[in-house]
Amino acid sequence: MTRKAPTLEDVAREAGVSRATVSRVVNGIRNVDPAIRETVREAIARSGYTPNRAARSLVTRRAGTIALVVSGAGDDTGGERNEFAARALADPFFGRVVSGVVGFLRPRSTHPVLMFAESEDARQQVLAYLRQGSADGALVFSTHAEDPLPGLLAAESLPCVLFARPARPAPVTYVDLDHREGGRLAAEHLLARGCRRGATIAGPLDLPAAQDRLSGFQDTMARHGHPYVPIAEGGFTLDSGASAMKRLLAEHPDIDGVFAANDLMAQGVCQALRASGRRVPRDVAVIGFDDSSAALACFPPLTTVRQPMEEMAATMARLLQEQIEGKRTEPTSVIFEPELVRRESA
Amino acid sequence: MTRKAPTLEDVAREAGVSRATVSRVVNGIRNVDPAIRETVREAIARSGYTPNRAARSLVTRRAGTIALVVSGAGDDTGGERNEFAARALADPFFGRVVSGVVGFLRPRSTHPVLMFAESEDARQQVLAYLRQGSADGALVFSTHAEDPLPGLLAAESLPCVLFARPARPAPVTYVDLDHREGGRLAAEHLLARGCRRGATIAGPLDLPAAQDRLSGFQDTMARHGHPYVPIAEGGFTLDSGASAMKRLLAEHPDIDGVFAANDLMAQGVCQALRASGRRVPRDVAVIGFDDSSAALACFPPLTTVRQPMEEMAATMARLLQEQIEGKRTEPTSVIFEPELVRRESA
DNA sequence: CCGGTCCGGGAGAGCGCTCCCGCGCCGCGC
DNA sequence: GCGCGGCGCGGGAGCGCTCTCCCGGACCGG
């Protein structure tokens, strides 16, 4: 802190006008004489004026900040590291989310605050943060089915938009993917390449998304004459995918195609398959889900069902913005369509 | 917005005291009669009062927020997605950073704002954000050597702490790793397992960290009778690691050990090696750097040089805090020691 | 030529909070 | 018994901004 930052008042004095006029120029409100506007602009440039956000927020009751909350259940160690945060961000899917959110927010000079709500304590912090107006609303990504956060947010009518349909119906806005359709795409692709013994590794079945991916896959397989498809449940992590695959292999050694409910598990599947001496895709075809960076990091690169994460995240941000501005009061939902991305694994 | 949120005034009236007293209770200042304190506490609980952060910031000139800036050079497409952000977060190393930062910040009810400074425009936004007091300081992670951001920040004496020593000496606080030592650890391990033809894939050599890892490795190899070590330069990405390995293999098919300057490149190395029919670690041992989640995602799991990222990030947050509070005015640096983590790749 | 309208600009009232200052009361010392 | 110090509390100013009101001048129509 060298010297005090210039205020509106200072600029006004410098330009020989009133505070109000400078404010009008800064906020781009019309009704200002072009000549005066220029004078003010110069004065602003000369003094290096930057509006004080706190003062502005105080009167506009808007923070110009939104919270990006990763919510779920975890062990709140409270130590110098936060396992939950680490795990959430380790999911390569997250990078695309942030990319989409930032893409939308930045042109509006808004920035996301990163928060984690894995414990009751943490949830209360998120709530307090929004209540006290530090952020205008929240973008919520639940990693867990029975996440209480959306309900708490809705109860205080704090603006929020969820990623994925909540497990139990609630009057909240959300953005989601047609997961059933994704499961169908995976099944059709496996069938088309001639797989006769398809299997699947589902995500945690309390999550609607995991359920839908599974049922979309199963239904399509059934419709094509494969009513019984071996299933193992995983936890959306690499390890869980690998061990689920081992279980599947133990009972059904003749599997020739696997649909994993996300890329991380598919990566684990590839590892397990390779460890068992099988080649991908020659012996067993593997399809993932998400098209996250894991799909490319995998060997071989994964054929996968792509979620348009960036657009989805940007849409979430847009819906939240509309909610904050009061343009949209009714809960809405926007469902995106998945797309099959062909690479080498299937 | 149902009804107006209660203010200090409301609570004061409710408790039959003055605003000042409530403020004292809220901020935990002594000099308040225990009985009155209790009365006020109850009134706060009853009314569900939450202090308004904007108002508080306005007078304390402190935002209670810090910026977590990923800085570097990228193509600012300005579209709905932000490639730079996506790439930065795709680096699994980032999850551990956030984990460490959040671990330190959260107990202090502070939260990080995520920002990207890959273009001049974006840099100015970061600067403006700090100038206008939206954040009290910045934690800067440069992906690029000639990053102008630290200089700009220092010029306006905005509090900041860098990850890694800046390429050109500057009076800024930073936290870093003893990269030379890391390179040494890698070399010694390779030597100890009997490698005779070690090679290395360096990071972008304009980065001091990449240079140091390389020279630590080279020097140690030289000291043990291997003055000439094949080198290829990569870009810290998986693909660059794979293609660097291919180049290396073309000229030196007898390589039996590789030190890659980060895990992502090591992962690419493993893929390239496997594609060439070599087994890891049987034919070629591979060592990575970072111990990011990529180390485990790799097949086989990587032996790697671990950076204590969480502690480093937490330390950055602590140093920044001290700077903001004015407890520390002189630039400091804290250097951490790397550690070898043995897994299967070497 | 006068009244009405419109538009650019200024004055001032807060937004909710912190913090300085000062007042009254209690207790201790002379 | 009176004076003085200290502690607990209230009053009030003011942080920097926005926004509503109002005023004065220009312009138009009757």
Side-chain angles (χ1 to χ4, degrees):
Chain A
M1 289 301 134
T2 45
R3 65 185 178 292
K4 230 165 111 302
T7 72
L8 257 197
E9 191 83 51
D10 299 330
V11 177
R13 203 176 318 115
E14 171 103 17
V17 295
S18 75
R19 243 181 11 253
T21 303
V22 180
S23 174
R24 278 189 272 261
V25 172
V26 170
N27 295 300
I29 293 177
R30 283 170 307 279
N31 292 3
V32 176
D33 187 295
I36 295 196
R37 178 159 48 216
E38 264 324 296
T39 317
V40 172
R41 287 246 170 82
E42 280 165 25
I44 289 177
R46 214 170 324 126
S47 58
Y49 168 75
T50 326
N52 179 310
R53 183 100 75 126
R56 181 179 285 181
S57 296
L58 184 57
V59 38
T60 58
R61 334 206 119 264
R62 192 142 302 161
T65 294
I66 64 150
L68 203 163
V69 185
V70 183
S71 182
D75 22 293
D76 194 11
T77 54
E80 282 234 321
R81 64 190 63 187
N82 182 303
E83 278 308 324
F84 182 78
R87 224 173 324 128
L89 295 198
D91 194 327
F93 141 116
F94 201 72
R96 292 181 58 204
V97 168
V98 173
S99 164
V101 170
V102 169
F104 179 86
L105 254 29
R106 205 157 60 169
R108 293 162 181 76
S109 290
T110 302
H111 302 273
V113 173
L114 214 45
M115 306 190 78
F116 298 91
E118 79 282 19
S119 63
E120 187 52 31
D121 221 47
R123 263 191 296 277
Q124 289 303 328
Q125 268 204 32
V126 171
L127 250 30
Y129 199 77
L130 290 168
R131 266 199 297 258
Q132 74 190 8
S134 294
D136 300 324
L139 258 23
V140 179
F141 297 80
S142 289
T143 61
H144 197 67
E146 298 295 337
D147 185 6
L149 188 61
L152 294 172
L153 253 16
E156 304 198 31
S157 57
L158 292 165
C160 74
V161 175
L162 307 190
F163 180 76
R165 166 164 56 90
R168 55 185 57 191
V172 281
T173 293
Y174 64 84
V175 167
D176 208 345
L177 185 82
D178 186 343
H179 298 284
R180 281 190 61 85
E181 172 67 8
R184 190 186 68 77
L185 288 174
E188 305 239 302
H189 184 70
L190 245 30
L191 258 10
R193 46 176 1 264
C195 289
R196 316 270 327 171
R197 309 271 170 201
T200 182
I201 294 178
L205 289 176
D206 50 343
L207 282 178
Q211 268 171 22
D212 292 354
R213 289 175 197 178
L214 173 61
S215 65
F217 184 77
Q218 282 180 315
D219 292 357
T220 309
M221 292 300 269
R223 207 174 315 117
H224 288 79
H226 300 277
Y228 301 117
V229 177
I231 302 173
E233 192 175 336
F236 276 155
T237 63
L238 194 145
D239 286 347
S240 72
S243 64
M245 190 66 227
K246 280 179 202 139
R247 271 179 276 140
L248 235 35
L249 245 25
E251 288 196 40
H252 311 273
D254 57 345
I255 284 173
D256 62 358
V258 178
F259 166 48
N262 79 343
D263 288 343
L264 237 31
M265 293 201 294
Q267 212 177 342
V269 164
C270 289
Q271 291 183 5
L273 250 16
R274 196 160 38 232
S276 77
R278 290 171 172 83
R279 289 158 304 177
V280 176
R282 180 85 66 97
D283 303 324
V284 183
V286 176
I287 297 190
F289 207 107
D290 284 351
D291 194 23
S292 66
S293 62
L296 288 168
C298 187
F299 181 83
L302 289 175
T303 288
T304 186
V305 177
R306 180 180 176 83
Q307 299 203 54
M309 284 307 312
E310 290 88 351
E311 288 109 290
M312 291 172 77
T315 300
M316 287 178 69
R318 181 172 56 76
L319 292 174
L320 184 61
Q321 185 92 342
E322 292 176 3
Q323 223 176 106
I324 290 168
E325 289 171 359
K327 286 187 194 159
R328 183 186 298 276
T329 47
E330 289 299 293
T332 335
S333 65
V334 179
I335 310 297
F336 284 77
E337 288 304 314
E339 194 185 338
L340 189 78
V341 177
R342 288 182 180 75
R343 294 212 182 83
E344 296 169 32
S345 72
Chain B
M1 291 301 135
T2 44
R3 66 185 178 292
K4 230 164 113 298
T7 72
L8 257 198
E9 190 84 51
D10 298 330
V11 177
R13 204 177 316 116
E14 171 103 17
V17 296
S18 76
R19 241 182 11 253
T21 302
V22 180
S23 174
R24 278 189 272 262
V25 172
V26 170
N27 295 301
I29 293 175
R30 285 170 305 280
N31 291 5
V32 176
D33 186 296
I36 294 197
R37 179 161 45 217
E38 265 323 297
T39 316
V40 172
R41 287 245 170 83
E42 280 165 25
I44 289 176
R46 215 171 321 125
S47 58
Y49 169 74
T50 325
N52 179 311
R53 183 99 78 125
R56 180 179 287 182
S57 297
L58 183 55
V59 39
T60 59
R61 332 204 120 265
R62 193 141 302 161
T65 293
I66 65 150
L68 202 163
V69 185
V70 182
S71 181
D75 23 293
D76 194 11
T77 53
E80 282 232 321
R81 65 190 63 185
N82 181 303
E83 279 308 324
F84 181 78
R87 224 172 325 127
L89 295 199
D91 194 326
F93 142 115
F94 201 71
R96 293 182 56 204
V97 167
V98 173
S99 165
V101 170
V102 169
F104 179 85
L105 254 29
R106 205 156 60 168
R108 292 162 182 75
S109 291
T110 301
H111 302 273
V113 173
L114 213 45
M115 305 190 78
F116 298 91
E118 79 282 20
S119 63
E120 187 52 31
D121 221 45
R123 263 192 295 278
Q124 289 304 328
Q125 269 203 32
V126 172
L127 249 32
Y129 199 77
L130 289 169
R131 264 198 298 257
Q132 72 190 7
S134 295
D136 299 324
L139 257 25
V140 180
F141 296 81
S142 289
T143 60
H144 197 69
E146 297 295 338
D147 185 6
L149 187 61
L152 295 171
L153 253 16
E156 304 198 30
S157 60
L158 292 166
C160 72
V161 176
L162 308 189
F163 179 75
R165 166 165 56 91
R168 54 184 59 190
V172 281
T173 292
Y174 64 84
V175 167
D176 208 346
L177 185 82
D178 186 344
H179 298 285
R180 281 190 60 85
E181 172 65 9
R184 191 186 67 78
L185 287 176
E188 305 241 301
H189 184 71
L190 246 28
L191 258 11
R193 40 172 12 258
C195 289
R196 317 271 329 172
R197 309 269 170 202
T200 182
I201 295 178
L205 288 176
D206 50 344
L207 281 180
Q211 270 170 21
D212 292 354
R213 289 175 197 179
L214 174 61
S215 63
F217 184 77
Q218 282 180 315
D219 292 358
T220 308
M221 292 300 270
R223 207 175 315 120
H224 287 81
H226 301 276
Y228 301 117
V229 176
I231 302 173
E233 191 175 339
F236 276 154
T237 62
L238 194 146
D239 286 347
S240 72
S243 63
M245 190 66 228
K246 279 180 201 136
R247 270 178 278 140
L248 234 35
L249 245 25
E251 289 198 38
H252 311 273
D254 57 345
I255 284 173
D256 63 357
V258 179
F259 166 49
N262 79 342
D263 288 343
L264 237 30
M265 293 199 295
Q267 212 177 342
V269 165
C270 288
Q271 291 183 7
L273 249 17
R274 196 159 41 234
S276 77
R278 290 169 173 83
R279 288 158 305 176
V280 177
R282 179 84 67 95
D283 303 324
V284 184
V286 176
I287 297 191
F289 208 108
D290 286 349
D291 194 23
S292 66
S293 63
L296 286 169
C298 187
F299 181 82
L302 289 175
T303 287
T304 186
V305 177
R306 179 180 177 85
Q307 300 202 54
M309 284 306 313
E310 291 88 352
E311 288 108 289
M312 293 172 77
T315 300
M316 288 178 68
R318 181 173 56 77
L319 291 174
L320 183 60
Q321 186 92 342
E322 291 175 3
Q323 221 176 108
I324 290 168
E325 289 171 1
K327 286 188 198 159
R328 183 187 297 278
T329 48
E330 288 301 291
T332 334
S333 64
V334 179
I335 311 295
F336 284 76
E337 288 305 314
E339 192 185 339
L340 188 77
V341 177
R342 290 182 178 76
R343 293 211 184 84
E344 297 169 30
S345 71

